[in-house]
Amino acid sequence: MTPLVATTIFTCLGLALALACVRLVRGPTVADRVVALEVIASILIGVLASYAVFFKVPQALDVALVLALTGFLAAIGVSRYLVRRATLGQGQQDRSETRP
């Protein structure tokens, strides 16, 4: 990989990271913020993979793999939390409607 290609890749990934951070801060809902965190994790995996290829550091791929697995498990945990919160919220509304 030439330095021009590496610079282009890192610049594009940096711009994408900045835009994802904006979405993380401005996201109107929790789901938007979770998606933004997933995108940030994916961008960081791309940065680590590009770094590993350009600088010939294979250990960076191990870190990228751990980050991918951690991000995946975090997304599952947060999505389960959001689903449970939504179900409990609907259940409480149903109970309040039946009370006199």
Side-chain angles (χ1 to χ4, degrees), residues 48-99:
L48 285 169
S50 301
Y51 176 83
V53 170
F54 184 68
F55 291 107
K56 296 178 178 58
V57 181
Q59 293 85 1
L61 292 176
D62 296 337
V63 176
L65 181 64
V66 169
L67 179 61
L69 291 172
T70 305
F72 175 70
L73 292 175
I76 289 175
V78 171
S79 64
R80 287 185 63 164
Y81 167 74
L82 290 176
V83 167
R84 283 187 183 172
R85 187 177 76 168
T87 348
L88 289 176
Q90 290 174 355
Q92 290 175 354
Q93 290 174 355
D94 294 339
R95 286 187 212 143
S96 63
E97 292 173 1
T98 58
R99 291 184 183 169

Side-chain angles (χ1 to χ4, degrees), residues 6-23:
T7 303
T8 305
I9 289 171
F10 286 124
T11 302
C12 289
L13 288 172
L15 179 63
L17 185 63
L19 293 173
C21 287
V22 168
R23 173 49 58 199

